[in-house]
Amino acid sequence: MKEALVITGYCSIYDRSAVVDGKLLYRGREVNPGELYTDIYRHFGINYPKFHKMDMLSRLGFVTADILIRGKHTTERYEGSETGIILMNSSSSLDTDRNHQRSISDRKKYFPSPAVFVYTLPNVVIGEICIRHRITGEGNFFVMEQFNPYFMVNYISQLFDNKIIETCISGWVEHDGDNYESLLFLIEKRNKTEGGIVNFEPAAIESIYNSK
Amino acid sequence: MTDIYISADNVLTPLGFTTEENASSMLAGKTGICLHEDISISPDAFYASLIDTRLLHDRFSSFNKPGKFTRFEMMAICSMKDAIEQTSLDLKDDHTLFILSTTKGNIDLLAEDTVSKSAKERLCLWDTAGRLQKYFGLSNEPLVVSDACISGIQAIITGTRLIRAGLYDNIVINGTDIISEFVYSGFNSFKSLSTGPCRPFDRSRDGLSLGEGSGTLIMTSRSEGSGLLPITVGEGFSTNDANHISGPSRTGEGLYLAVNRLLTREPGSIDFISAHGTATPYNDEMESIALTRAGLQNVPVNSLKGYLGHTLGAAGVIESIMSIWSLRKGILLATQGYMEPGVSNPLNIIGENTTARAKKCLKIASGFGGCNAAISFSVR
Protein backbone atom coordinates (compact mmCIF):
# COMPACT_ATOMS: atom_id res chain seq x y z
CA MET A 1 0.00 0.00 0.00
CA LYS A 2 1.35 3.39 -0.98
CA GLU A 3 2.23 5.50 1.99
CA ALA A 4 1.80 9.25 2.05
CA LEU A 5 3.06 11.96 4.34
CA VAL A 6 0.28 13.33 6.47
CA ILE A 7 -0.12 15.85 9.24
CA THR A 8 -1.28 13.90 12.27
CA GLY A 9 -1.46 16.89 14.56
CA TYR A 10 -0.75 20.57 14.86
CA CYS A 11 -0.57 23.07 17.66
CA SER A 12 -0.34 26.82 17.61
CA ILE A 13 0.06 29.46 20.27
CA TYR A 14 -0.84 33.02 19.29
CA ASP A 15 -3.10 35.82 20.45
CA ARG A 16 -3.36 34.50 24.04
CA SER A 17 -4.63 31.15 22.72
CA ALA A 18 -3.51 27.57 22.33
CA VAL A 19 -5.14 25.76 19.43
CA VAL A 20 -4.67 22.02 18.96
CA ASP A 21 -5.76 20.22 15.78
CA GLY A 22 -8.02 23.17 15.00
CA LYS A 23 -9.67 23.26 18.42
CA LEU A 24 -9.26 26.17 20.81
CA LEU A 25 -8.11 24.51 24.05
CA TYR A 26 -6.95 27.56 25.95
CA ARG A 27 -7.64 31.26 25.93
CA GLY A 28 -5.87 33.30 28.54
CA ARG A 29 -5.78 36.62 30.24
CA GLU A 30 -4.28 39.80 28.83
CA VAL A 31 -0.70 39.13 29.97
CA ASN A 32 2.78 39.44 28.51
CA PRO A 33 4.07 36.52 26.43
CA GLY A 34 6.29 35.16 29.22
CA GLU A 35 3.34 34.91 31.61
CA LEU A 36 1.20 33.45 28.86
CA TYR A 37 3.69 30.61 28.24
CA THR A 38 3.74 29.82 31.95
CA ASP A 39 -0.07 29.97 32.15
CA ILE A 40 -0.30 27.52 29.24
CA TYR A 41 2.37 25.30 30.81
CA ARG A 42 0.26 25.14 34.00
CA HIS A 43 -3.08 24.79 32.20
CA PHE A 44 -1.85 21.69 30.38
CA GLY A 45 -0.36 20.23 33.56
CA ILE A 46 3.21 20.12 32.26
CA ASN A 47 5.74 19.37 34.98
CA TYR A 48 9.30 20.10 33.89
CA PRO A 49 11.26 22.38 36.24
CA LYS A 50 13.89 23.20 33.58
CA PHE A 51 11.14 25.08 31.72
CA HIS A 52 11.56 28.00 34.11
CA LYS A 53 15.25 28.37 33.19
CA MET A 54 14.60 28.60 29.46
CA ASP A 55 14.50 31.80 27.45
CA MET A 56 11.21 32.91 25.90
CA LEU A 57 11.82 31.37 22.47
CA SER A 58 12.59 28.01 24.05
CA ARG A 59 9.58 28.23 26.37
CA LEU A 60 7.28 28.90 23.45
CA GLY A 61 8.75 26.09 21.32
CA PHE A 62 8.83 23.74 24.28
CA VAL A 63 5.17 24.12 25.33
CA THR A 64 3.96 24.05 21.72
CA ALA A 65 5.84 20.78 21.06
CA ASP A 66 4.72 19.29 24.37
CA ILE A 67 1.05 19.96 23.69
CA LEU A 68 1.45 18.87 20.04
CA ILE A 69 2.69 15.37 20.74
CA ARG A 70 0.73 14.55 23.91
CA GLY A 71 -1.56 11.61 23.25
CA LYS A 72 0.11 11.02 19.87
CA HIS A 73 2.42 8.25 21.18
CA THR A 74 5.28 9.74 19.18
CA THR A 75 7.97 8.65 21.61
CA GLU A 76 6.56 5.09 21.85
CA ARG A 77 5.97 4.62 18.13
CA TYR A 78 9.32 5.97 16.95
CA GLU A 79 12.94 5.72 17.95
CA GLY A 80 14.50 8.99 19.06
CA SER A 81 17.01 8.67 16.21
CA GLU A 82 14.29 8.48 13.54
CA THR A 83 12.50 11.60 14.82
CA GLY A 84 13.43 14.94 13.27
CA ILE A 85 12.89 18.51 14.47
CA ILE A 86 13.03 21.21 11.79
CA LEU A 87 12.15 24.71 12.99
CA MET A 88 12.00 28.14 11.41
CA ASN A 89 11.53 31.73 12.49
CA SER A 90 12.22 35.31 11.50
CA SER A 91 14.09 36.97 14.35
CA SER A 92 16.41 34.10 15.29
CA SER A 93 17.26 34.63 19.00
CA LEU A 94 17.15 38.44 18.87
CA ASP A 95 14.99 38.68 22.01
CA THR A 96 17.63 36.96 24.13
CA ASP A 97 20.43 38.70 22.21
CA ARG A 98 19.07 41.97 23.65
CA ASN A 99 19.13 40.53 27.16
CA HIS A 100 22.76 39.52 26.78
CA GLN A 101 23.60 42.92 25.26
CA ARG A 102 22.01 44.70 28.25
CA SER A 103 24.27 42.72 30.59
CA ILE A 104 27.41 44.09 28.89
CA SER A 105 26.34 47.57 27.82
CA ASP A 106 27.59 49.26 30.98
CA ARG A 107 31.14 48.48 32.11
CA LYS A 108 30.20 49.45 35.67
CA LYS A 109 27.35 46.93 35.67
CA TYR A 110 28.95 44.17 33.63
CA PHE A 111 27.34 40.81 34.29
CA PRO A 112 27.27 38.53 31.21
CA SER A 113 25.74 35.22 32.20
CA PRO A 114 26.26 31.82 30.60
CA ALA A 115 22.64 30.97 31.47
CA VAL A 116 21.53 33.80 29.16
CA PHE A 117 24.28 33.54 26.55
CA VAL A 118 23.55 29.91 25.69
CA TYR A 119 20.11 30.99 24.46
CA THR A 120 21.58 33.49 21.98
CA LEU A 121 21.41 30.63 19.46
CA PRO A 122 18.03 29.81 17.93
CA ASN A 123 18.69 26.06 17.62
CA VAL A 124 18.84 25.68 21.41
CA VAL A 125 15.04 25.36 21.43
CA ILE A 126 15.51 22.19 19.35
CA GLY A 127 17.93 20.93 22.00
CA GLU A 128 15.39 21.61 24.76
CA ILE A 129 12.66 19.65 22.96
CA CYS A 130 15.13 16.83 22.23
CA ILE A 131 16.14 16.53 25.89
CA ARG A 132 12.53 16.46 27.06
CA HIS A 133 11.41 13.75 24.61
CA ARG A 134 14.70 11.84 24.13
CA ILE A 135 14.84 12.82 20.46
CA THR A 136 18.25 12.31 18.83
CA GLY A 137 17.47 12.54 15.10
CA GLU A 138 17.94 15.16 12.43
CA GLY A 139 17.59 18.78 13.56
CA ASN A 140 17.88 22.07 11.74
CA PHE A 141 16.97 25.70 12.36
CA PHE A 142 16.27 28.01 9.41
CA VAL A 143 15.81 31.77 9.59
CA MET A 144 13.54 33.41 7.00
CA GLU A 145 11.50 36.60 6.74
CA GLN A 146 8.17 34.79 6.66
CA PHE A 147 6.97 31.25 7.23
CA ASN A 148 7.48 29.33 3.98
CA PRO A 149 5.31 26.17 3.76
CA TYR A 150 6.74 25.29 0.32
CA PHE A 151 10.28 25.12 1.63
CA MET A 152 9.12 23.20 4.68
CA VAL A 153 7.33 20.54 2.63
CA ASN A 154 10.20 20.22 0.12
CA TYR A 155 12.85 19.93 2.79
CA ILE A 156 11.03 17.53 5.06
CA SER A 157 9.70 15.32 2.25
CA GLN A 158 13.21 14.51 1.08
CA LEU A 159 14.21 13.59 4.67
CA PHE A 160 11.39 11.02 4.64
CA ASP A 161 12.17 9.89 1.06
CA ASN A 162 15.79 9.26 1.99
CA LYS A 163 14.76 7.38 5.14
CA ILE A 164 16.59 9.80 7.42
CA ILE A 165 13.45 10.31 9.52
CA GLU A 166 10.18 8.43 10.14
CA THR A 167 8.40 11.27 11.89
CA CYS A 168 9.00 14.99 12.23
CA ILE A 169 8.08 17.94 14.41
CA SER A 170 8.30 21.02 12.25
CA GLY A 171 7.05 24.55 11.94
CA TRP A 172 7.36 28.14 13.01
CA VAL A 173 8.46 29.41 16.44
CA GLU A 174 8.79 33.19 16.65
CA HIS A 175 9.27 35.30 19.77
CA ASP A 176 10.56 38.87 19.83
CA GLY A 177 9.49 41.22 22.61
CA ASP A 178 5.70 41.39 22.60
CA ASN A 179 5.39 39.54 19.31
CA TYR A 180 5.01 35.80 19.40
CA GLU A 181 3.55 33.09 17.24
CA SER A 182 4.09 29.36 17.04
CA LEU A 183 2.67 26.69 14.77
CA LEU A 184 4.14 23.19 14.93
CA PHE A 185 3.09 20.16 12.93
CA LEU A 186 3.54 16.48 13.60
CA ILE A 187 4.25 14.71 10.33
CA GLU A 188 4.10 10.93 9.84
CA LYS A 189 3.88 8.35 7.06
CA ARG A 190 0.48 6.73 6.81
CA ASN A 191 -1.15 4.48 4.26
CA LYS A 192 -4.27 5.78 2.59
CA THR A 193 -6.76 3.99 4.86
CA GLU A 194 -5.28 5.24 8.11
CA GLY A 195 -5.21 8.83 6.98
CA GLY A 196 -4.37 11.81 9.09
CA ILE A 197 -5.81 15.21 9.63
CA VAL A 198 -4.68 16.46 6.26
CA ASN A 199 -2.04 15.63 3.65
CA PHE A 200 1.39 17.16 4.15
CA GLU A 201 1.16 19.72 1.36
CA PRO A 202 1.97 23.44 1.15
CA ALA A 203 -1.61 24.49 0.42
CA ALA A 204 -2.95 22.65 3.48
CA ILE A 205 -0.24 24.11 5.70
CA GLU A 206 -0.79 27.59 4.34
CA SER A 207 -4.49 27.30 4.97
CA ILE A 208 -3.92 26.22 8.59
CA TYR A 209 -1.40 29.03 9.06
CA ASN A 210 -3.76 31.62 7.60
CA SER A 211 -6.76 30.40 9.59
CA LYS A 212 -5.13 31.48 12.81
CA MET B 1 22.44 9.27 -5.72
CA THR B 2 23.13 12.45 -7.71
CA ASP B 3 26.82 13.35 -7.83
CA ILE B 4 27.50 16.78 -6.37
CA TYR B 5 30.79 18.46 -7.20
CA ILE B 6 32.75 21.28 -5.64
CA SER B 7 32.99 23.99 -8.27
CA ALA B 8 34.83 26.78 -6.45
CA ASP B 9 35.72 27.99 -2.98
CA ASN B 10 37.28 30.74 -0.92
CA VAL B 11 38.58 31.06 2.61
CA LEU B 12 39.02 34.54 4.08
CA THR B 13 40.80 34.74 7.43
CA PRO B 14 43.74 36.63 8.97
CA LEU B 15 45.96 33.99 7.30
CA GLY B 16 44.87 35.04 3.83
CA PHE B 17 42.02 36.16 1.62
CA THR B 18 42.03 33.07 -0.62
CA THR B 19 42.03 29.31 -0.01
CA GLU B 20 45.60 29.06 -1.39
CA GLU B 21 46.89 31.87 0.83
CA ASN B 22 45.38 30.16 3.85
CA ALA B 23 46.87 26.80 2.88
CA SER B 24 50.33 28.33 2.39
CA SER B 25 50.18 30.02 5.78
CA MET B 26 49.05 26.82 7.47
CA LEU B 27 51.79 24.78 5.77
CA ALA B 28 54.29 27.34 7.09
CA GLY B 29 52.93 26.83 10.61
CA LYS B 30 51.51 30.33 10.95
CA THR B 31 48.55 31.10 13.17
CA GLY B 32 46.04 33.92 12.98
CA ILE B 33 45.62 33.83 16.77
CA CYS B 34 47.51 36.56 18.59
CA LEU B 35 47.19 38.89 21.57
CA HIS B 36 44.84 41.80 20.98
CA GLU B 37 44.16 44.92 22.99
CA ASP B 38 40.80 46.20 21.85
CA ILE B 39 38.54 47.56 24.56
CA SER B 40 35.59 47.57 22.17
CA ILE B 41 35.72 43.75 22.44
CA SER B 42 37.17 43.11 25.90
CA PRO B 43 38.35 45.24 28.83
CA ASP B 44 41.44 43.01 29.10
CA ALA B 45 43.92 41.90 26.44
CA PHE B 46 42.82 38.67 24.79
CA TYR B 47 43.92 36.04 22.26
CA ALA B 48 41.84 35.73 19.12
CA SER B 49 42.17 35.43 15.34
CA LEU B 50 40.80 38.74 14.03
CA ILE B 51 40.65 40.08 10.49
CA ASP B 52 42.51 43.37 9.97
CA THR B 53 39.75 45.88 9.27
CA ARG B 54 42.02 48.09 7.15
CA LEU B 55 42.99 45.18 4.86
CA LEU B 56 39.32 44.25 4.59
CA HIS B 57 38.36 47.82 3.64
CA ASP B 58 41.18 47.97 1.07
CA ARG B 59 40.04 44.76 -0.57
CA PHE B 60 36.39 45.76 -0.48
CA SER B 61 36.91 49.27 -1.85
CA SER B 62 38.89 47.84 -4.79
CA PHE B 63 35.61 46.41 -6.10
CA ASN B 64 34.31 49.93 -6.87
CA LYS B 65 30.71 48.98 -6.30
CA PRO B 66 28.51 51.50 -4.49
CA GLY B 67 26.64 50.81 -1.27
CA LYS B 68 27.30 50.87 2.44
CA PHE B 69 28.05 47.52 3.98
CA THR B 70 28.82 46.34 7.50
CA ARG B 71 32.00 44.57 8.52
CA PHE B 72 30.22 41.22 8.44
CA GLU B 73 28.80 41.90 4.99
CA MET B 74 32.16 43.07 3.63
CA MET B 75 33.82 39.85 4.79
CA ALA B 76 31.12 37.74 3.19
CA ILE B 77 31.21 39.76 -0.06
CA CYS B 78 35.01 39.56 -0.35
CA SER B 79 34.87 35.80 0.13
CA MET B 80 31.91 35.18 -2.17
CA LYS B 81 33.32 37.37 -4.94
CA ASP B 82 36.55 35.39 -5.15
CA ALA B 83 34.69 32.07 -5.32
CA ILE B 84 32.06 33.28 -7.79
CA GLU B 85 34.77 34.62 -10.11
CA GLN B 86 36.41 31.18 -10.24
CA THR B 87 33.37 29.25 -11.38
CA SER B 88 32.19 28.89 -14.96
CA LEU B 89 28.67 28.09 -13.77
CA ASP B 90 25.87 30.49 -14.59
CA LEU B 91 24.74 31.35 -11.07
CA LYS B 92 22.19 33.98 -12.10
CA ASP B 93 19.57 31.56 -13.38
CA ASP B 94 16.85 30.31 -11.06
CA HIS B 95 18.49 26.91 -10.52
CA THR B 96 20.86 28.44 -8.00
CA LEU B 97 20.23 28.95 -4.28
CA PHE B 98 22.32 30.99 -1.85
CA ILE B 99 22.61 29.64 1.70
CA LEU B 100 24.10 31.77 4.49
CA SER B 101 25.55 29.98 7.50
CA THR B 102 25.99 32.18 10.56
CA THR B 103 25.35 32.16 14.26
CA LYS B 104 25.11 35.90 14.87
CA GLY B 105 25.30 37.88 11.60
CA ASN B 106 25.56 41.66 12.17
CA ILE B 107 25.42 41.25 15.95
CA ASP B 108 27.86 44.14 16.54
CA LEU B 109 25.04 46.50 15.46
CA LEU B 110 23.11 45.54 18.59
CA ALA B 111 25.49 47.67 20.66
CA GLU B 112 24.36 50.71 18.68
CA ASP B 113 20.96 52.33 18.80
CA THR B 114 18.55 49.77 17.42
CA VAL B 115 15.27 51.59 17.90
CA SER B 116 14.74 52.30 14.21
CA LYS B 117 13.09 49.70 12.02
CA SER B 118 15.91 49.64 9.49
CA ALA B 119 18.49 48.97 12.20
CA LYS B 120 16.37 46.12 13.51
CA GLU B 121 16.04 44.63 10.06
CA ARG B 122 19.78 44.71 9.55
CA LEU B 123 20.11 42.53 12.66
CA CYS B 124 17.84 39.93 11.06
CA LEU B 125 19.84 37.15 9.46
CA TRP B 126 17.48 36.92 6.49
CA ASP B 127 18.05 40.60 5.76
CA THR B 128 21.81 40.07 5.70
CA ALA B 129 21.42 37.06 3.39
CA GLY B 130 19.17 39.12 1.12
CA ARG B 131 21.76 41.91 0.82
CA LEU B 132 24.46 39.41 -0.18
CA GLN B 133 22.14 37.70 -2.66
CA LYS B 134 21.26 41.03 -4.29
CA TYR B 135 24.88 42.20 -4.37
CA PHE B 136 25.76 39.27 -6.60
CA GLY B 137 22.48 39.28 -8.53
CA LEU B 138 21.63 35.71 -7.48
CA SER B 139 18.04 34.61 -7.94
CA ASN B 140 15.72 32.98 -5.39
CA GLU B 141 15.09 34.00 -1.80
CA PRO B 142 18.19 32.90 0.13
CA LEU B 143 18.13 30.49 3.05
CA VAL B 144 19.80 31.03 6.43
CA VAL B 145 21.00 28.07 8.49
CA SER B 146 21.69 28.87 12.14
CA ASP B 147 22.65 25.80 14.16
CA ALA B 148 25.37 27.08 16.48
CA CYS B 149 28.80 25.61 15.78
CA ILE B 150 27.55 23.00 13.30
CA SER B 151 25.94 25.67 11.07
CA GLY B 152 28.59 25.39 8.35
CA ILE B 153 28.29 21.63 7.94
CA GLN B 154 24.52 21.93 8.18
CA ALA B 155 24.50 24.47 5.34
CA ILE B 156 26.48 22.03 3.17
CA ILE B 157 24.18 19.14 4.14
CA THR B 158 21.10 21.26 3.44
CA GLY B 159 22.51 22.26 0.05
CA THR B 160 23.26 18.69 -1.00
CA ARG B 161 19.74 17.64 -0.04
CA LEU B 162 18.11 20.42 -2.02
CA ILE B 163 20.20 19.50 -5.08
CA ARG B 164 19.45 15.78 -4.70
CA ALA B 165 15.74 16.53 -4.30
CA GLY B 166 15.98 18.13 -7.76
CA LEU B 167 15.11 21.60 -6.51
CA TYR B 168 18.36 23.34 -7.53
CA ASP B 169 21.45 22.59 -9.62
CA ASN B 170 23.86 24.94 -7.90
CA ILE B 171 24.25 25.99 -4.28
CA VAL B 172 26.37 28.93 -3.14
CA ILE B 173 27.18 28.62 0.56
CA ASN B 174 28.77 31.36 2.59
CA GLY B 175 29.65 30.92 6.26
CA THR B 176 30.66 34.04 8.18
CA ASP B 177 30.89 35.21 11.77
CA ILE B 178 32.57 38.19 13.41
CA ILE B 179 33.98 38.47 16.92
CA SER B 180 32.45 41.34 18.86
CA GLU B 181 32.11 42.15 22.53
CA PHE B 182 28.79 40.27 22.41
CA VAL B 183 30.41 36.98 21.44
CA TYR B 184 33.61 37.43 23.43
CA SER B 185 31.84 38.27 26.71
CA GLY B 186 29.52 35.29 26.29
CA PHE B 187 32.26 32.72 25.76
CA ASN B 188 34.26 34.37 28.54
CA SER B 189 31.30 34.00 30.93
CA PHE B 190 31.31 30.29 30.09
CA LYS B 191 35.00 30.19 31.06
CA SER B 192 35.65 28.35 27.82
CA LEU B 193 38.42 30.63 26.46
CA SER B 194 42.07 29.59 26.49
CA THR B 195 44.79 31.63 28.17
CA GLY B 196 46.96 31.55 25.00
CA PRO B 197 46.47 30.30 21.43
CA CYS B 198 44.28 27.19 21.67
CA ARG B 199 45.85 23.71 21.61
CA PRO B 200 43.45 21.13 20.16
CA PHE B 201 43.68 17.60 21.59
CA ASP B 202 46.79 18.54 23.57
CA ARG B 203 47.26 17.51 27.18
CA SER B 204 47.62 21.12 28.31
CA ARG B 205 44.68 22.50 26.33
CA ASP B 206 42.62 24.88 28.43
CA GLY B 207 39.94 26.27 26.16
CA LEU B 208 39.14 27.68 22.76
CA SER B 209 40.32 30.75 20.86
CA LEU B 210 37.71 32.75 19.00
CA GLY B 211 38.28 33.56 15.34
CA GLU B 212 36.81 35.61 12.52
CA GLY B 213 36.44 34.21 9.07
CA SER B 214 34.34 33.77 5.99
CA GLY B 215 34.23 30.74 3.73
CA THR B 216 32.43 30.24 0.42
CA LEU B 217 31.74 26.90 -1.22
CA ILE B 218 29.97 26.50 -4.56
CA MET B 219 28.47 23.07 -5.21
CA THR B 220 26.88 21.84 -8.41
CA SER B 221 25.27 18.80 -9.97
CA ARG B 222 25.98 20.13 -13.47
CA SER B 223 29.61 19.37 -14.15
CA GLU B 224 32.78 18.14 -12.62
CA GLY B 225 33.63 21.79 -12.57
CA SER B 226 36.84 23.52 -12.26
CA GLY B 227 39.52 21.50 -14.01
CA LEU B 228 40.90 20.67 -10.59
CA LEU B 229 40.70 17.14 -9.19
CA PRO B 230 36.93 16.48 -8.97
CA ILE B 231 35.62 16.23 -5.42
CA THR B 232 32.14 14.90 -4.59
CA VAL B 233 30.06 15.61 -1.52
CA GLY B 234 28.47 12.76 0.45
CA GLU B 235 25.13 12.68 2.21
CA GLY B 236 25.75 14.12 5.68
CA PHE B 237 23.67 13.85 8.84
CA SER B 238 22.87 15.80 11.96
CA THR B 239 21.84 14.44 15.35
CA ASN B 240 21.13 15.64 18.86
CA ASP B 241 22.63 14.42 22.15
CA ALA B 242 19.31 14.94 23.99
CA ASN B 243 21.50 15.44 27.02
CA HIS B 244 22.50 19.03 27.77
CA ILE B 245 22.19 22.36 25.95
CA SER B 246 25.66 23.72 26.75
CA GLY B 247 27.86 20.72 27.48
CA PRO B 248 28.93 17.87 25.20
CA SER B 249 27.60 14.40 25.96
CA ARG B 250 30.04 12.41 28.12
CA THR B 251 29.48 9.34 25.96
CA GLY B 252 29.72 11.22 22.66
CA GLU B 253 26.30 9.78 21.86
CA GLY B 254 25.05 12.32 19.32
CA LEU B 255 28.31 12.61 17.43
CA TYR B 256 28.67 8.83 17.42
CA LEU B 257 25.15 8.50 15.99
CA ALA B 258 25.92 10.99 13.20
CA VAL B 259 29.25 9.34 12.29
CA ASN B 260 27.80 5.85 12.53
CA ARG B 261 24.90 6.75 10.28
CA LEU B 262 27.32 8.11 7.71
CA LEU B 263 29.56 5.01 7.87
CA THR B 264 26.53 2.72 7.55
CA ARG B 265 25.07 4.51 4.56
CA GLU B 266 28.31 5.32 2.77
CA PRO B 267 30.54 2.28 2.65
CA GLY B 268 34.24 2.81 2.06
CA SER B 269 37.13 3.68 4.31
CA ILE B 270 37.81 7.13 5.71
CA ASP B 271 41.36 8.36 5.02
CA PHE B 272 41.39 11.32 7.35
CA ILE B 273 39.11 13.24 9.69
CA SER B 274 38.77 16.99 10.10
CA ALA B 275 37.61 17.19 13.71
CA HIS B 276 35.80 20.02 15.46
CA GLY B 277 38.74 20.11 17.94
CA THR B 278 37.88 23.35 19.70
CA ALA B 279 40.51 22.65 22.38
CA THR B 280 38.08 22.88 25.27
CA PRO B 281 38.79 19.97 27.63
CA TYR B 282 35.27 18.54 27.20
CA ASN B 283 34.83 18.86 23.43
CA ASP B 284 38.07 17.14 22.44
CA GLU B 285 37.52 14.40 25.02
CA MET B 286 33.99 13.82 23.72
CA GLU B 287 35.22 13.61 20.12
CA SER B 288 37.83 11.03 21.09
CA ILE B 289 35.11 8.90 22.69
CA ALA B 290 32.71 9.21 19.75
CA LEU B 291 35.38 8.49 17.11
CA THR B 292 36.64 5.49 19.09
CA ARG B 293 33.10 4.13 19.45
CA ALA B 294 32.74 4.46 15.67
CA GLY B 295 35.96 2.47 15.18
CA LEU B 296 37.87 5.43 13.70
CA GLN B 297 40.50 5.83 16.44
CA ASN B 298 43.37 4.92 14.06
CA VAL B 299 42.36 7.25 11.23
CA PRO B 300 44.55 10.37 10.97
CA VAL B 301 42.68 13.33 12.43
CA ASN B 302 43.41 17.05 12.62
CA SER B 303 41.86 20.21 13.99
CA LEU B 304 42.43 23.55 12.28
CA LYS B 305 41.35 25.64 15.27
CA GLY B 306 44.99 26.28 16.22
CA TYR B 307 45.42 28.27 12.97
CA LEU B 308 42.10 30.11 12.81
CA GLY B 309 40.46 29.83 16.21
CA HIS B 310 36.81 28.89 16.39
CA THR B 311 35.12 30.76 13.56
CA LEU B 312 31.64 29.67 14.76
CA GLY B 313 29.15 29.68 11.87
CA ALA B 314 32.01 29.86 9.36
CA ALA B 315 34.00 26.98 10.87
CA GLY B 316 32.24 24.10 9.14
CA VAL B 317 32.51 25.79 5.74
CA ILE B 318 36.14 26.90 6.13
CA GLU B 319 37.34 23.58 7.56
CA SER B 320 35.49 21.63 4.86
CA ILE B 321 37.19 23.74 2.18
CA MET B 322 40.62 23.13 3.71
CA SER B 323 39.84 19.39 3.84
CA ILE B 324 38.91 19.50 0.15
CA TRP B 325 42.22 21.28 -0.49
CA SER B 326 43.98 18.42 1.34
CA LEU B 327 42.24 15.82 -0.85
CA ARG B 328 43.25 17.70 -3.99
CA LYS B 329 46.85 18.35 -2.98
CA GLY B 330 47.51 15.10 -1.11
CA ILE B 331 48.72 16.98 1.95
CA LEU B 332 47.22 16.54 5.42
CA LEU B 333 47.63 19.67 7.55
CA ALA B 334 49.23 19.48 10.98
CA THR B 335 47.20 20.19 14.12
CA GLN B 336 48.67 23.55 15.13
CA GLY B 337 49.22 23.77 18.89
CA TYR B 338 49.17 20.01 19.46
CA MET B 339 52.19 18.50 21.21
CA GLU B 340 51.26 15.73 23.62
CA PRO B 341 48.30 13.30 23.65
CA GLY B 342 45.62 14.60 25.95
CA VAL B 343 42.40 12.61 25.53
CA SER B 344 41.37 9.40 27.28
CA ASN B 345 40.79 7.51 24.03
CA PRO B 346 44.01 7.96 22.05
CA LEU B 347 43.51 9.30 18.51
CA ASN B 348 45.88 9.37 15.56
CA ILE B 349 46.44 13.13 15.67
CA ILE B 350 48.19 14.60 12.63
CA GLY B 351 51.10 16.40 14.31
CA GLU B 352 53.12 17.32 11.17
CA ASN B 353 52.14 18.24 7.63
CA THR B 354 51.96 14.86 5.91
CA THR B 355 51.91 13.79 2.27
CA ALA B 356 49.12 11.26 1.79
CA ARG B 357 46.99 10.00 -1.08
CA ALA B 358 43.72 10.50 0.75
CA LYS B 359 40.52 9.63 -1.15
CA LYS B 360 37.90 10.37 1.46
CA CYS B 361 37.61 12.81 4.33
CA LEU B 362 35.13 12.90 7.20
CA LYS B 363 34.24 16.34 8.58
CA ILE B 364 32.53 16.54 11.97
CA ALA B 365 31.33 19.19 14.41
CA SER B 366 29.29 19.58 17.59
CA GLY B 367 27.67 22.59 19.17
CA PHE B 368 25.46 24.24 21.76
CA GLY B 369 21.97 22.84 21.83
CA GLY B 370 23.47 19.33 21.80
CA CYS B 371 23.74 19.27 18.01
CA ASN B 372 26.24 17.23 16.00
CA ALA B 373 26.91 16.84 12.28
CA ALA B 374 29.01 14.68 9.97
CA ILE B 375 29.64 14.86 6.22
CA SER B 376 32.16 13.34 3.81
CA PHE B 377 34.09 14.59 0.79
CA SER B 378 35.64 12.18 -1.71
CA VAL B 379 38.01 12.26 -4.64
CA ARG B 380 35.91 11.25 -7.61
Side-chain angles (χ1 to χ4, degrees), chain B residues 305-338:
Chain B
K305 298 290 193 296
Y307 299 107
L308 305 176
H310 191 343
T311 53
L312 308 173
V317 181
I318 289 175
E319 293 161 14
S320 291
I321 294 168
M322 297 316 300
S323 300
I324 291 161
W325 179 91
S326 281
L327 289 172
R328 283 184 169 145
K329 301 285 175 173
I331 301 170
L332 308 186
L333 293 161
T335 304
Q336 175 82 12
Y338 172 79

Side-chain angles (χ1 to χ4, degrees), chain A residues 107 120 134 138-140 162, chain B residues 104 147 154 161 181 242:
Chain A
R107 280 284 156 77
T120 62
R134 307 297 308 158
E138 188 79 15
N140 213 336
N162 292 315
Chain B
K104 301 300 332 153
D147 289 308
Q154 283 281 60
R161 289 187 176 149
E181 182 181 33

Side-chain angles (χ1 to χ4, degrees), chain A residues 152-165:
Chain A
M152 178 179 151
V153 169
N154 281 334
Y155 193 75
I156 288 167
S157 299
Q158 56 80 28
L159 292 178
F160 278 96
D161 292 347
N162 292 315
K163 304 203 180 316
I164 292 166
I165 54 171

Side-chain angles (χ1 to χ4, degrees), chain A residues 195-206:
Chain A
I197 294 174
V198 61
N199 284 344
F200 182 57
E201 287 163 1
I205 291 167
E206 203 154 34

